[in-house]
Amino acid sequence: MTITPPALSVFETIESEVRSYCRGWPAVFDRAQGSRLTDEDGHTYLDFFAGAGSLNYGHNNAVLKRALIDYIERDGITHGLDMATTAKRAFLESFQNVILRPRDLPYKVMFPGPTGTNAVESALKLARKVKDRESVVSFTNAFHGMSLGSLAVTGNAFKRAGAGIPLVHGTPMPFDHYLDDQVPDFLWFERLLLDRGSGLNKPAAVIVETVQGEGGINVARPEWLRALSDLCHRHDMLLIVDDIQMGCGRTGPFFSFEEAGIVPDIVTVSKSISGYGLPMSLCLFRPELDVWEPGEHNGTFRGNNPAFVTAAAALNTYWADGQMEKQTIARGEQVEQALAGICAESAGGDAEFRGRGLVWGMEFKDKPRAGAVCRRAFELGLLLETSGPESEVVKLLPPLTITPEELDEGLRTLERAVRDTAPVPAAAV
């Protein structure tokens, strides 16, 4: 497929320089359905990006679209602040019956605002309020959002620098495998907690991603997560799991922490919770932590009723029978097998891979090559993005509803992109 870059004059002259994804994918997209997007010139692309994890059920999912259209056509509430509505009630009942009760999770549900960073800000704010402490511990290569509180617990130097002011009250600790397993887990963290001369203010909470998406697809072991949960319990710190990108089934189970057998004190959820790409986020927490005063944390767009409609439809359609988890694990095994072959053959020893469920990454020793692979994949009709502190990881994030045939097609395209970007041997120059 030959792609002719479109005329992007209005985007280049009117839109801010802050735009990013459109630079890597120079096309004007017009339609999308399932696992594919089509640009205005008729070129079709297989999507291994899924709205950065916001489209776990694909583009314009027929079941969710029907529910949304029916709701709009009957003049259902669109904007409702935190008023009680039929759409909110239906979502809360579905979330309780399909997700929380079967997992014996006692959480209260808070609607903090439309985005993931809204959920993180509310989680940090609540933890500090409950414990009456300011410090929060995060981890190396973490990413929790772009507002100031979220940036303070984010590791990426480029993102942090954009704040323009000092980012305070956050302390980083080594994520799993960060020190190449040369030091016992949490040795440094616990030593600081026990030493009154360490200079570490006792934290209110610890915030963690079970799989660091933007950080490079760094996967925490279940035993590491269990040890972290135990550490928090012993030292009276709340455990916050940021499940914004890895929740809603991305790793297999609905919540990514289920495999570790832990129950976090607070959980943040966003991206695919609406099911349709509509803005929506949740902050979940144990009932005893619900110390908010009415209106103490609010927002104009925290009641996105169309998102409640599609979210309830997604839960009832995909999570009532347990089949989605099994399907995602099976698709993940398909990806793992393919990546093992690509790394062994096409990558020429330059790459290694890791992941869980349907989130995977290929890390290249020659770091710029990851970007080259993504550019070549786009030319071949496959959307991929990079992640990691130096964009050294090719990130695979296809819809959970992708068919085995589509997945195989995308993986073969990735293999070709890796092969096409291989360095030319010196003798051949």
Side-chain angles (χ1 to χ4, degrees):
M1 179 169 64
T2 301
I3 307 290
T4 302
L8 297 174
S9 58
V10 69
F11 304 108
E12 294 170 345
T13 59
I14 301 299
E15 190 178 0
S16 167
E17 292 297 321
V18 79
R19 64 191 188 280
S20 60
Y21 291 118
C22 58
R23 298 179 188 275
W25 303 327
V28 178
F29 296 103
D30 181 50
R31 293 174 288 111
Q33 207 286 318
S35 300
R36 300 182 189 273
L37 296 90
T38 303
D39 68 20
E40 62 183 5
D41 294 324
H43 299 121
T44 299
Y45 305 80
L46 189 58
D47 187 4
F48 271 28
F49 176 65
S54 296
L55 296 166
N56 281 2
Y57 311 105
H59 297 268
N60 288 302
N61 180 287
V63 174
L64 311 188
K65 180 167 64 175
R66 185 72 262 162
L68 179 60
I69 290 172
D70 289 347
Y71 183 75
I72 293 171
E73 286 186 336
R74 74 168 185 82
D75 292 330
I77 297 292
T78 295
H79 183 270
L81 295 163
D82 69 353
M83 294 183 293
T85 66
T86 55
K88 184 197 282 188
R89 179 174 59 202
F91 167 73
L92 286 171
E93 289 174 346
S94 294
F95 192 68
Q96 183 178 47
N97 294 331
V98 176
I99 301 300
L100 297 181
R101 280 180 177 161
R103 293 161 177 78
D104 197 26
L105 295 172
Y107 296 135
K108 297 289 289 290
V109 178
M110 175 184 178
F111 300 103
T115 72
T117 200
N118 292 134
V120 170
E121 294 286 355
S122 65
L124 299 176
K125 188 173 175 180
L126 179 61
R128 287 166 171 143
K129 179 178 174 67
V130 168
K131 292 300 182 183
D132 194 26
R133 304 177 207 139
E134 297 176 349
S135 177
V136 173
V137 166
S138 57
F139 291 94
T140 50
N141 289 314
F143 179 80
H144 295 291
M146 297 298 288
S147 50
L148 292 180
S150 300
L151 281 175
V153 290
T154 286
N156 186 284
F158 175 71
K159 299 289 197 300
R160 289 174 62 88
I165 62 171
L167 297 170
V168 297
H169 308 308
T171 303
M173 291 291 168
F175 192 71
D176 195 16
H177 300 305
Y178 185 76
L179 298 174
D180 298 323
D181 303 322
Q182 299 299 306
V183 178
D185 294 339
F186 307 112
L187 175 67
W188 173 242
F189 191 178
E190 189 147 29
R191 183 71 59 85
L192 292 178
L193 289 169
L194 293 172
D195 184 359
R196 295 176 65 86
S198 69
L200 175 66
N201 294 330
K202 186 168 185 179
V206 175
I207 186 168
V208 67
E209 304 154 274
T210 65
V211 180
Q212 294 181 326
E214 299 305 309
I217 318 300
N218 305 312
V219 182
R221 294 166 294 144
E223 55 267 34
W224 187 87
L225 292 168
R226 287 192 289 270
L228 175 61
S229 179
D230 177 66
L231 181 71
C232 289
H233 179 75
R234 288 187 288 106
H235 289 278
D236 188 33
M237 302 178 295
L238 298 179
L239 176 60
I240 305 170
V241 167
D242 181 340
D243 233 7
I244 288 165
Q245 188 168 87
M246 297 304 155
C248 302
R250 176 54 56 180
T251 67
F254 187 84
F255 294 110
S256 70
F257 56 79
E258 292 182 52
E259 182 185 26
I262 63 174
V263 179
D265 299 293
I266 304 175
V267 182
T268 60
V269 180
S270 186
K271 290 192 181 285
S272 275
I273 187 59
S274 80
Y276 203 74
L278 300 175
M280 177 178 174
S281 74
L282 309 176
C283 186
L284 314 175
F285 40 80
R286 295 180 184 272
E288 61 270 23
L289 303 181
D290 194 8
V291 298
W292 294 113
E293 295 290 336
E296 189 176 5
H297 187 95
N298 58 25
T300 305
F301 294 100
R302 66 193 183 279
N304 188 346
N305 281 258
F308 294 154
V309 171
T310 54
L315 296 178
N316 294 326
T317 301
Y318 293 104
W319 292 99
D321 60 5
Q323 291 306 304
M324 177 57 74
E325 179 176 349
K326 295 177 183 178
Q327 176 178 299
T328 299
I329 291 172
R331 300 283 193 275
E333 291 170 353
Q334 183 180 349
V335 175
E336 183 176 16
Q337 184 176 6
L339 291 182
I342 294 172
C343 288
E345 300 172 17
S346 300
D350 184 39
E352 59 182 30
F353 68 96
R354 52 187 177 265
R356 277 180 57 196
L358 274 176
V359 53
W360 292 85
M362 289 183 62
E363 180 176 358
F364 286 87
K365 297 174 186 176
D366 177 18
K367 296 178 181 181
R369 190 176 174 193
V373 168
C374 290
R375 288 189 294 273
R376 180 57 180 148
F378 173 77
E379 294 171 353
L380 297 170
L382 176 66
L383 301 186
L384 291 165
E385 70 163 335
T386 60
S387 69
E390 298 180 68
S391 298
E392 73 277 21
V393 178
V394 173
K395 182 179 181 182
L396 284 68
L397 211 68
L400 306 186
T401 52
I402 194 168
T403 66
E405 294 76 20
E406 289 171 328
L407 193 55
D408 182 64
E409 176 189 341
L411 291 167
R412 283 187 280 107
T413 302
L414 171 62
E415 181 178 17
R416 179 177 170 185
V418 172
R419 187 170 60 247
D420 289 353
T421 58
V424 178
V429 176

